[in-house]
Amino acid sequence: MASPKTTHWELDPHTKAKHEILRSYLGGWFPVLSTYNGRVVFLDGFAGPGRYENGEPGSPIIALTTLLDHSFFPKMKSEFLFVFCEPKPDRFESLQSEVKALMNERAPWPRHVKVILLDKPFQEAASNIVEDLKRHRKALAPTFAFVDPFGISGLPIELLRDLLASPRCELFVNYMVDSVNRFAGAGNVDHHLTELFGTDRYKEAANPANGQSRQQFLHDLYENQLKSVCGFSFVQSFGMINKTGHIGYYLFYGTRDVKGLELMKDAMWKLDPGGDYRFSDRLAGQTVLFIEDMLDVRPLRDAILTTFSGRTVAIEELERFTIIQTPYKKSHLRKPVLSPLEKEGTIQVRRPGKHGFPAGTTVYFPNA
């Protein structure tokens, strides 16, 4: 991670992982949103200098090239607006230079792709956008806000609520739970923590209920606030596990659209963690690792058998449950879980054809 006096810094494995997730997600998000909307916005709240120490692209360049290099880009007629916030003068100058270089490299630059560079902190830039929208009585266009701060300050949840209030706005935020855990109850940064959560309930982390760990309590509190304060119908978190096996921070994704949640899960599971970093989530008290070649579907199997015990359920409902209620993605349902259950005789399947689980299939789950 960069020091306050550093213009460029080394790209660490976890940041590389975030960028790969971002690239993969935007690859699905851009064509979906541009099909139905006249304008699509990508907002990078902590943009950085545009490049890392060894020349790797930063999130602004990744977002732009993901769009420009997309196979569907020639057919996308929406206006794409990219807003990059970077308050530090040296990093802002570097970002300007990198964006200009990309525009020159891709000349003639597409007229429907606009870039706005703001030499302001995210909090100030977002507040200005909110005030401008209120003044003109307008709603924000469909927006993906990538908010990747260096700490816990400058990220008021009520500002996120006001900025991303429109139904098609989404949030991908780095929640520094380690820092929150360290400072919760210390008393010296309470104003930042109260802004972050929109409540002072983080103080309860000192004595969490129900046997929770401090970190799990602080995770659940932020998730609940993203739902209740920001109004995101679906919130997915991914724990970023370091080499010592501990979660350093969570990536939280908030959306009001099931399709967006499906795209984000596909992006997460597509990433090959290698040996430098891992991702996790929890289901039924078990840690689920986002590693395809070590796929363990037992938590999904157990959750489905428990939830739908004694019921006959359409395949579409099982898919929706998998996407919304579990860390797994839709493709983990049929072959890894339902097919073995059918072979064992645990479930009874009625399908319109002879094979698989096509639309119109129903599944009966006997009482557990």
Side-chain angles (χ1 to χ4, degrees):
M1 184 168 290
S3 71
K5 296 180 180 180
T6 305
T7 301
H8 297 87
W9 56 93
E10 188 176 349
L11 177 65
D12 66 72
H14 278 105
T15 301
K16 182 180 178 182
K18 278 183 288 188
H19 288 171
E20 290 303 318
I21 296 165
L22 182 67
R23 181 184 283 112
S24 180
Y25 180 78
L26 292 178
W29 187 77
F30 281 137
V32 169
L33 267 292
S34 64
T35 302
Y36 305 104
N37 300 279
R39 171 183 276 189
V40 176
V41 180
F42 175 84
L43 171 61
D44 193 332
F46 297 80
R51 292 276 172 189
Y52 286 86
E53 193 172 63
N54 296 315
E56 303 94 338
S59 52
I61 304 303
I62 288 171
L64 287 167
T65 54
T66 299
L67 175 65
L68 298 174
D69 295 338
H70 202 290
S71 58
F72 290 165
F73 180 65
K75 299 179 182 179
M76 298 182 198
K77 305 304 180 185
S78 297
E79 178 183 83
F80 294 91
L81 178 61
F82 292 81
V83 182
F84 304 132
C85 305
E86 177 47 59
K88 293 189 177 297
D90 56 336
R91 297 177 188 175
F92 183 77
E93 183 179 348
S94 175
L95 179 60
Q96 281 184 309
S97 176
E98 294 295 341
V99 171
K100 183 177 180 180
L102 180 63
M103 288 182 164
N104 290 336
E105 178 188 326
R106 301 301 182 99
W109 188 257
R111 295 176 61 185
H112 63 303
V113 179
K114 310 289 175 69
V115 179
I116 296 176
L117 302 175
L118 300 176
D119 55 348
K120 304 179 188 306
F122 168 71
Q123 186 170 353
E124 180 182 346
S127 297
N128 290 344
I129 293 171
V130 169
E131 288 305 312
D132 189 63
L133 291 170
K134 288 180 179 178
R135 186 163 53 250
H136 293 93
R137 297 183 179 180
K138 291 184 177 180
L140 190 63
T143 297
F144 183 86
F146 178 55
V147 186
D148 189 12
F150 288 108
I152 60 176
S153 62
L155 200 60
I157 198 165
E158 291 179 356
L159 178 60
L160 295 178
R161 174 199 65 195
D162 295 343
L163 178 68
L164 304 174
S166 296
R168 289 189 174 271
C169 289
E170 300 182 343
L171 174 68
F172 191 38
V173 60
N174 179 359
Y175 171 57
M176 307 293 287
V177 70
D178 242 4
S179 298
V180 174
N181 192 17
R182 190 179 321 121
F183 292 112
N188 55 333
V189 293
D190 281 2
H191 60 294
H192 290 313
L193 291 172
T194 301
E195 283 188 339
L196 180 71
F197 289 103
T199 176
D200 64 358
R201 285 198 58 214
Y202 60 86
K203 296 178 181 178
E204 298 173 24
N207 296 290
N210 304 321
Q212 286 181 309
S213 67
R214 284 172 57 99
Q215 190 180 77
Q216 188 62 43
F217 174 85
L218 292 168
H219 165 278
D220 293 352
L221 178 61
Y222 195 63
E223 177 179 308
N224 291 335
Q225 292 301 94
L226 288 176
K227 291 178 179 179
S228 61
V229 177
C230 294
F232 289 118
S233 304
F234 311 112
V235 175
Q236 178 73 52
S237 66
F238 310 96
M240 306 294 281
I241 304 175
N242 57 31
K243 291 181 179 180
T244 65
H246 295 94
I247 292 176
Y249 59 88
Y250 289 96
L251 298 176
F252 271 95
Y253 169 71
T255 184
R256 300 171 181 90
D257 183 67
V258 175
K259 181 61 178 179
L261 184 59
E262 184 178 350
L263 287 172
M264 180 55 76
K265 285 192 173 182
D266 286 346
M268 287 294 305
W269 281 96
K270 190 181 295 183
L271 188 68
D272 178 12
D276 294 321
Y277 44 82
R278 294 183 297 162
F279 311 98
S280 76
D281 201 347
R282 293 186 66 78
L283 175 63
Q286 300 185 48
T287 296
V288 177
L289 294 179
F290 285 76
I291 305 176
E292 288 281 16
D293 59 1
M294 294 174 56
L295 182 63
D296 180 4
V297 295
R298 286 175 297 175
L300 176 59
R301 172 190 168 113
D302 294 345
I304 286 176
L305 289 174
T306 300
T307 302
F308 300 103
S309 174
R311 294 175 54 190
T312 298
V313 186
I315 188 66
E316 291 80 6
E317 185 175 351
L318 295 174
E319 290 176 341
R320 186 176 174 86
F321 173 83
T322 301
I323 294 169
I324 295 174
Q325 301 294 337
T326 84
Y328 294 91
K329 61 179 182 174
K330 189 166 68 173
S331 63
H332 293 149
L333 173 65
R334 287 172 164 80
K335 189 174 181 180
V337 173
L338 295 182
S339 290
L341 286 174
E342 184 179 19
K343 287 181 181 179
E344 297 165 10
T346 303
I347 60 174
Q348 298 172 22
V349 181
R350 297 189 64 177
R351 50 176 62 89
K354 293 183 179 180
H355 306 287
F357 299 86
T361 297
T362 59
V363 181
Y364 171 67
F365 295 86
N367 288 312

